[in-house]
Amino acid sequence: VPYLRVPLVLNFFATPERVMALGHTTLQQVLDAVLFEPGPWQEEYTKACPEHVPAKTREHMSTPCGLLFNELQHSPVGVIR
């Protein structure tokens, strides 16, 4: 789930026991991919909420600036703490 991925991965590596694991190139690449993956592009300023769950498309999950920026703008607590 794109919107849970960023805070979950950041919280995972935030502990002193796990931050040292980022010395491995593969895990650095995973963290980089999670944080800077652009995701689906949102052209319009607003977007419609899905009428059914699960939604028929993933258009409601698009962002204008990428997942990390979207998290910082709409739900910063999960990223900053």
Side-chain angles (χ1 to χ4, degrees):
V1 177
Y3 289 121
L4 290 176
R5 184 178 9 189
V6 172
L8 285 176
V9 170
L10 285 177
N11 285 327
F12 179 82
F13 286 115
T15 64
E17 303 84 30
R18 295 182 183 138
V19 75
M20 298 304 292
L22 289 173
H24 295 279
T25 306
T26 305
L27 290 177
Q28 292 172 11
Q29 292 170 343
V30 169
L31 183 62
D32 186 66
V34 167
L35 294 179
F36 301 110
E37 176 186 2
W41 178 254
Q42 176 185 338
E43 294 182 34
E44 301 295 325
Y45 181 72
T46 60
K47 56 187 168 188
C49 290
E51 294 180 15
H52 302 283
V53 175
K56 294 178 182 178
T57 68
R58 295 180 61 111
E59 290 178 13
H60 64 283
M61 304 209 46
S62 61
T63 71
C65 297
L67 296 176
L68 177 60
F69 187 80
N70 193 66
E71 286 292 321
L72 289 170
Q73 187 177 20
H74 296 287
S75 183
V77 174
V79 176
I80 303 175
R81 69 177 160 138

